[in-house]
């Protein structure tokens, strides 16, 4: 039983998976924020072009 507990306490594969999950979540948050800002900027540019074409 102590051999099992020693192996369990030294096993770091779960920690690695959690770290990769946190990195992926951080990347997703950054992408959502940056794409939102870019989308707002693009909307303004398309509105300017539409107004210029309309006139």
């Amino acid at each position: 039983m102590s051999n099992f507990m020693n192996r369990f306490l030294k096993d770091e594969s779960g920690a690695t998976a959690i770290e990769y999950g946190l990195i992926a979540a951080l990347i997703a948050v950054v992408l959502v924020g940056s794409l939102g800002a870019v989308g707002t900027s693009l909307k303004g540019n398309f509105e300017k072009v539409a107004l210029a074409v309309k006139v």
Side-chain angles (χ1 to χ4, degrees):
M1 184 68 172
S2 67
N3 188 22
F4 170 75
M5 287 303 290
N6 285 336
R7 281 188 296 141
F8 178 75
L9 292 174
K10 291 181 181 178
D11 185 18
E12 295 183 2
S13 62
T16 303
I18 291 171
E19 290 168 356
Y20 284 133
L22 290 172
I23 291 169
L26 179 63
I27 290 172
V29 168
V30 169
L31 282 175
V32 167
S34 62
L35 290 177
V38 169
T40 303
S41 175
L42 282 176
K43 180 181 176 186
N45 287 339
F46 279 118
E47 289 173 352
K48 287 178 188 175
V49 171
L51 185 62
V53 170
K54 205 176 211 184
V55 172

